[in-house]
Short mmCIF file of all heavy atoms in Angstrom, two decimals:
data_model
loop_
_atom_site.label_atom_id
_atom_site.label_comp_id
_atom_site.label_asym_id
_atom_site.label_seq_id
_atom_site.Cartn_x
_atom_site.Cartn_y
_atom_site.Cartn_z
N ILE V 97 -30.11 0.01 -37.02
CA ILE V 97 -30.65 1.27 -37.52
C ILE V 97 -31.05 1.13 -38.98
O ILE V 97 -30.57 0.25 -39.71
CB ILE V 97 -29.64 2.42 -37.38
CG1 ILE V 97 -28.33 2.08 -38.13
CG2 ILE V 97 -29.38 2.75 -35.92
CD1 ILE V 97 -27.40 3.26 -38.28
N SER V 101 -34.61 5.54 -39.02
CA SER V 101 -34.49 5.56 -37.55
C SER V 101 -33.18 6.17 -37.06
O SER V 101 -33.04 6.45 -35.87
CB SER V 101 -34.62 4.14 -36.99
OG SER V 101 -33.50 3.35 -37.38
N ARG V 102 -32.23 6.38 -37.96
CA ARG V 102 -30.90 6.81 -37.54
C ARG V 102 -30.93 8.09 -36.70
O ARG V 102 -30.31 8.17 -35.63
CB ARG V 102 -30.00 7.02 -38.76
CG ARG V 102 -28.59 7.48 -38.42
CD ARG V 102 -27.78 7.74 -39.68
NE ARG V 102 -27.48 6.50 -40.36
CZ ARG V 102 -26.35 5.81 -40.20
NH1 ARG V 102 -25.45 6.23 -39.33
NH2 ARG V 102 -26.13 4.72 -40.87
N VAL V 103 -31.66 9.10 -37.15
CA VAL V 103 -31.69 10.38 -36.45
C VAL V 103 -32.33 10.24 -35.07
O VAL V 103 -31.84 10.77 -34.08
CB VAL V 103 -32.44 11.45 -37.29
CG1 VAL V 103 -32.61 12.73 -36.47
CG2 VAL V 103 -31.69 11.73 -38.57
N GLU V 104 -33.43 9.47 -34.99
CA GLU V 104 -34.12 9.30 -33.71
C GLU V 104 -33.25 8.54 -32.72
O GLU V 104 -33.20 8.89 -31.53
CB GLU V 104 -35.45 8.57 -33.92
CG GLU V 104 -36.29 8.48 -32.66
CD GLU V 104 -37.63 7.81 -32.89
OE1 GLU V 104 -37.93 7.42 -34.04
OE2 GLU V 104 -38.38 7.68 -31.90
N VAL V 105 -32.57 7.50 -33.19
CA VAL V 105 -31.69 6.73 -32.30
C VAL V 105 -30.57 7.62 -31.76
O VAL V 105 -30.24 7.59 -30.57
CB VAL V 105 -31.11 5.51 -33.05
CG1 VAL V 105 -29.99 4.86 -32.24
CG2 VAL V 105 -32.21 4.49 -33.33
N ARG V 106 -29.99 8.43 -32.65
CA ARG V 106 -28.93 9.33 -32.21
C ARG V 106 -29.44 10.35 -31.18
O ARG V 106 -28.73 10.70 -30.23
CB ARG V 106 -28.33 10.06 -33.41
CG ARG V 106 -27.33 9.23 -34.21
CD ARG V 106 -26.84 10.02 -35.41
NE ARG V 106 -25.75 9.37 -36.10
CZ ARG V 106 -24.46 9.58 -35.87
NH1 ARG V 106 -24.08 10.43 -34.93
NH2 ARG V 106 -23.53 8.96 -36.56
N GLN V 107 -30.66 10.84 -31.37
CA GLN V 107 -31.21 11.83 -30.45
C GLN V 107 -31.43 11.23 -29.06
O GLN V 107 -31.13 11.85 -28.05
CB GLN V 107 -32.53 12.37 -31.00
CG GLN V 107 -33.15 13.46 -30.14
CD GLN V 107 -32.24 14.66 -29.96
OE1 GLN V 107 -31.81 15.25 -30.95
NE2 GLN V 107 -31.92 15.00 -28.71
N ILE V 108 -31.97 10.01 -29.03
CA ILE V 108 -32.16 9.33 -27.73
C ILE V 108 -30.82 9.13 -27.04
O ILE V 108 -30.67 9.38 -25.84
CB ILE V 108 -32.89 7.99 -27.92
CG1 ILE V 108 -34.33 8.23 -28.41
CG2 ILE V 108 -32.88 7.18 -26.63
CD1 ILE V 108 -35.06 6.97 -28.81
N ALA V 109 -29.83 8.71 -27.82
CA ALA V 109 -28.50 8.49 -27.25
C ALA V 109 -27.92 9.79 -26.69
O ALA V 109 -27.31 9.81 -25.62
CB ALA V 109 -27.57 7.92 -28.31
N GLU V 110 -28.16 10.89 -27.38
CA GLU V 110 -27.67 12.19 -26.91
C GLU V 110 -28.37 12.59 -25.62
O GLU V 110 -27.74 13.15 -24.70
CB GLU V 110 -27.91 13.24 -27.98
CG GLU V 110 -27.30 14.59 -27.67
CD GLU V 110 -27.47 15.59 -28.81
OE1 GLU V 110 -27.33 15.17 -29.98
OE2 GLU V 110 -27.77 16.76 -28.53
N ASP V 111 -29.66 12.30 -25.50
CA ASP V 111 -30.40 12.61 -24.28
C ASP V 111 -29.82 11.87 -23.07
O ASP V 111 -29.88 12.37 -21.94
CB ASP V 111 -31.88 12.23 -24.44
CG ASP V 111 -32.61 13.13 -25.44
OD1 ASP V 111 -32.07 14.22 -25.75
OD2 ASP V 111 -33.69 12.73 -25.90
N PHE V 112 -29.28 10.67 -23.30
CA PHE V 112 -28.68 9.89 -22.23
C PHE V 112 -27.19 10.18 -22.06
O PHE V 112 -26.52 9.53 -21.26
CB PHE V 112 -28.89 8.40 -22.48
CG PHE V 112 -30.23 7.88 -22.10
CD1 PHE V 112 -31.31 7.95 -22.97
CD2 PHE V 112 -30.44 7.31 -20.83
CE1 PHE V 112 -32.57 7.47 -22.62
CE2 PHE V 112 -31.68 6.83 -20.47
CZ PHE V 112 -32.75 6.92 -21.36
N SER V 114 -24.79 9.45 -23.97
CA SER V 114 -23.98 8.28 -24.34
C SER V 114 -23.00 8.66 -25.45
O SER V 114 -23.13 9.72 -26.07
CB SER V 114 -24.88 7.14 -24.80
OG SER V 114 -25.50 7.47 -26.03
N ILE V 116 -21.05 7.35 -29.05
CA ILE V 116 -21.01 6.38 -30.14
C ILE V 116 -19.57 5.89 -30.27
O ILE V 116 -18.65 6.68 -30.46
CB ILE V 116 -21.48 7.01 -31.46
CG1 ILE V 116 -22.94 7.46 -31.36
CG2 ILE V 116 -21.31 6.01 -32.62
CD1 ILE V 116 -23.44 8.20 -32.58
N VAL V 119 -19.58 2.89 -35.68
CA VAL V 119 -20.60 3.29 -36.65
C VAL V 119 -20.57 2.34 -37.83
O VAL V 119 -19.52 2.08 -38.42
CB VAL V 119 -20.36 4.73 -37.15
CG1 VAL V 119 -21.40 5.11 -38.20
CG2 VAL V 119 -20.37 5.72 -36.00
N LEU V 124 -25.39 0.97 -34.88
CA LEU V 124 -24.57 1.89 -34.09
C LEU V 124 -24.31 1.24 -32.73
O LEU V 124 -25.21 0.61 -32.16
CB LEU V 124 -25.29 3.22 -33.88
CG LEU V 124 -25.53 4.10 -35.11
CD1 LEU V 124 -26.40 5.31 -34.73
CD2 LEU V 124 -24.21 4.56 -35.72
N PHE V 126 -23.23 2.01 -28.83
CA PHE V 126 -23.16 3.11 -27.87
C PHE V 126 -22.49 2.64 -26.58
O PHE V 126 -22.62 1.49 -26.17
CB PHE V 126 -24.57 3.61 -27.52
CG PHE V 126 -25.32 4.15 -28.71
CD1 PHE V 126 -26.22 3.36 -29.40
CD2 PHE V 126 -25.11 5.45 -29.13
CE1 PHE V 126 -26.92 3.85 -30.48
CE2 PHE V 126 -25.80 5.96 -30.23
CZ PHE V 126 -26.71 5.15 -30.90
N MET V 142 -33.99 1.82 -26.36
CA MET V 142 -33.44 1.32 -27.62
C MET V 142 -34.09 0.02 -28.09
O MET V 142 -33.99 -0.34 -29.26
CB MET V 142 -31.93 1.11 -27.48
CG MET V 142 -31.14 2.40 -27.34
SD MET V 142 -31.35 3.45 -28.81
CE MET V 142 -30.39 4.88 -28.35
N PHE V 145 -36.10 -0.34 -31.45
CA PHE V 145 -35.35 -0.23 -32.70
C PHE V 145 -34.66 -1.54 -33.07
O PHE V 145 -34.29 -1.75 -34.22
CB PHE V 145 -34.32 0.90 -32.61
CG PHE V 145 -34.92 2.24 -32.34
CD1 PHE V 145 -34.89 2.77 -31.06
CD2 PHE V 145 -35.55 2.96 -33.35
CE1 PHE V 145 -35.44 4.01 -30.80
CE2 PHE V 145 -36.11 4.20 -33.09
CZ PHE V 145 -36.07 4.73 -31.82
#
Side-chain angles (χ1 to χ4, degrees):
I97 57 168
S101 67
R102 179 183 290 266
V103 173
E104 186 177 0
V105 169
R106 281 178 171 267
Q107 183 59 56
I108 293 172
E110 187 176 320
D111 292 342
F112 279 86
S114 68
I116 298 175
V119 178
L124 294 173
F126 299 97
M142 291 299 178
F145 300 101

